[in-house]
Amino acid sequence: MHALTVENASKTYKSPPRPPLKAVDNLSLHIPEGQIYGLLGPNGAGKSTLISMICGALKPDPETGSIRIFDKDVVRQTDQAKQLLGIVPQEIIVEPAFTVEEVLYYFSGMYGVPQAERRKRIPELLESLGLADKQHDKARSLSGGMKRRLMIAKALIHKPRLLILDEPTAGVDVSLRQRIWELVRQLNAQGTTVIFTTHYLEEAEQLCESMTVINKGKVIKEGKVKEIQQEFSQNIISFELYQSEVEHLAGVRRVGVEFELPFRDLVQDMRGLLDFYGDNLKSFRNEAASLEKVFLQLTEGGPTP
Ligand SMILES: Nc1ncnc2c1ncn2[C@@H]1O[C@H](COP(=O)(O)OP(=O)(O)OP(=O)(O)O)[C@@H](O)[C@H]1O
Ligand SMILES: [Mg+2]
């Protein structure tokens, strides 16, 4: 079964007198159970809008097919769907006047977690998120990174089968980022499906097997991270020149201080490159494209010359 099924979802923001904006445009996603799955896309791609529809905070456009968490429809079976889902939103939201422990106690009540389970679960979560020594502190007194940890704890309190994190590592320090990655891996090993959005491509490379790239509300690429990298890397020779202000071979494009040449036949095109640039060629290589480059090519139609 899929942990998340999105079928032809659309969301149009209407704020007259401005023209309506289709932030999510007939988008479909099928995310298998058991994965750590990356949702990537530039600012304004529609990721958070999609997540708001998934958690029921935003109503999809009427023509939307359906959104299901496992087999529960988020519109028609909202309460059951919510029990299966934990969401960590992008914006930091905490209950300022409550202590860390009280916040978690309150949320576990909302999800109907039994008392005995709460007493066990809350300290466990606080421990694993490095918040144990803050349990009696008011949420408002926590640092930004600690507030984010508290939000993650809140999302996990009812042991959801699907956890969605909207940019969990934006603005957090290196040690917390590592801790969040560790936690994601741990939860996944225990059977939780995890979907997260990020702008850090390194994160997708490190954590997920598969990913979807969205732009302007539409899916523009989906598949296994490794395969997407390969697809974009197989046919490129990257090289550096001593003197770059020279005439270039047809098809060569500049990427920062380097140049790239797409090729059909590696050996033949390498010879062509050596013949053309001769002693001006400083170095060359043929390697897997970084996800960074893949992303730019997908969302901006290629690296800028
Ligand atoms: N409440 C709203 N009213 C009107 N327009 C909105 C609203 N929320 C988002 N938008 C617009 O919808 C588009 C998608 O925004 P969204 O927040 O879903 O993008 P995102 O992919 O999460 O971006 P980011 O990576 O910056 O978080 C943007 O153009 C945004 O300005
Ligand atoms: Mg967002």
Side-chain angles (χ1 to χ4, degrees):
M1 199 193 311
H2 286 116
L4 175 69
T5 310
V6 176
E7 271 161 10
N8 307 103
S10 295
K11 179 68 202 177
T12 309
Y13 289 114
K14 295 185 183 118
S15 17
R18 277 173 288 151
L21 174 82
K22 205 156 200 179
V24 174
D25 190 357
N26 203 25
L27 183 146
S28 297
L29 267 182
H30 298 87
I31 299 184
E33 185 174 8
Q35 295 227 352
I36 302 179
Y37 198 99
L39 204 56
L40 283 83
N43 287 135
K47 304 177 297 294
S48 297
T49 302
L50 176 66
I51 291 175
S52 296
M53 286 194 282
I54 294 169
C55 71
L58 261 187
K59 208 165 157 259
D61 286 353
E63 69 266 25
T64 290
S66 70
I67 302 176
R68 293 192 300 279
I69 318 273
F70 293 90
D71 57 344
K72 306 295 180 218
D73 186 288
V74 300
V75 178
R76 275 176 278 121
Q77 298 162 289
T78 312
D79 290 345
Q80 288 145 299
K82 275 194 176 154
Q83 283 292 338
L84 299 169
L85 177 69
I87 291 258
V88 184
Q90 181 171 6
E91 307 292 333
I92 291 187
I93 313 162
V94 290
E95 295 62 28
F98 292 95
T99 67
V100 167
E101 196 178 33
E102 284 164 354
V103 169
L104 295 181
Y105 200 79
Y106 170 74
F107 274 86
S108 51
M110 234 174 62
Y111 283 104
V113 180
Q115 285 286 352
E117 179 69 20
R118 287 185 218 183
R119 277 194 290 275
K120 192 168 146 276
R121 187 118 183 91
I122 293 173
E124 267 174 19
L125 271 174
L126 291 175
E127 188 61 45
S128 75
L129 284 156
L131 282 174
D133 59 339
K134 299 283 174 190
Q135 73 183 96
H136 301 302
D137 290 17
K138 293 266 196 286
R140 78 160 78 85
S141 72
L142 300 177
S143 74
M146 288 170 195
K147 286 181 182 147
R148 200 167 279 282
R149 292 183 218 185
L150 177 56
M151 285 170 57
I152 299 177
K154 267 160 58 177
L156 289 173
I157 199 78
H158 58 300
K159 292 200 171 165
R161 284 170 68 193
L162 171 63
L163 176 68
I164 303 185
L165 305 145
D166 197 357
E167 286 184 48
T169 57
V172 306
D173 68 21
V174 181
S175 107
L176 179 54
R177 186 185 298 186
Q178 298 283 352
R179 208 191 271 258
I180 292 174
W181 287 6
E182 193 47 47
L183 184 73
V184 163
R185 290 200 183 97
Q186 214 177 319
L187 287 164
N188 182 251
Q190 291 160 8
T192 313
T193 306
V194 183
I195 301 173
F196 69 94
T197 73
T198 181
H199 295 125
Y200 301 121
L201 300 144
E202 181 203 354
E203 205 154 62
E205 277 173 311
Q206 292 275 339
L207 283 178
C208 358
E209 191 188 332
S210 304
M211 67 178 205
T212 290
V213 183
I214 68 173
N215 195 20
K216 299 185 181 137
K218 287 179 182 295
V219 170
I220 52 170
K221 193 84 202 166
E222 61 190 325
K224 297 224 181 309
V225 175
K226 291 257 152 33
E227 284 171 15
I228 292 175
Q229 275 179 297
Q230 259 170 18
E231 185 185 325
F232 280 79
S233 67
Q234 273 165 354
N235 55 352
I236 286 176
I237 304 168
S238 300
F239 61 95
E240 274 186 281
L241 296 173
Y242 287 108
Q243 174 56 260
S244 55
E245 303 306 321
V246 291
E247 205 177 309
H248 290 285
L249 199 60
V252 165
R253 58 193 180 205
R254 190 180 198 134
V255 184
V257 293
E258 285 192 337
F259 296 88
E260 286 185 349
L261 175 67
F263 64 83
R264 285 211 192 90
D265 180 309
L266 180 60
V267 176
Q268 202 179 325
D269 288 337
M270 252 338 288
R271 276 204 195 107
L273 193 76
L274 284 165
D275 286 348
F276 190 87
Y277 290 103
D279 290 346
N280 192 18
L281 197 61
K282 193 172 165 188
S283 65
F284 55 85
R285 64 200 152 79
N286 163 238
E287 63 180 26
S290 76
L291 222 42
E292 199 97 33
K293 280 188 189 163
V294 172
F295 191 68
L296 286 175
Q297 286 189 41
L298 280 170
T299 56
E300 289 173 6
T304 36

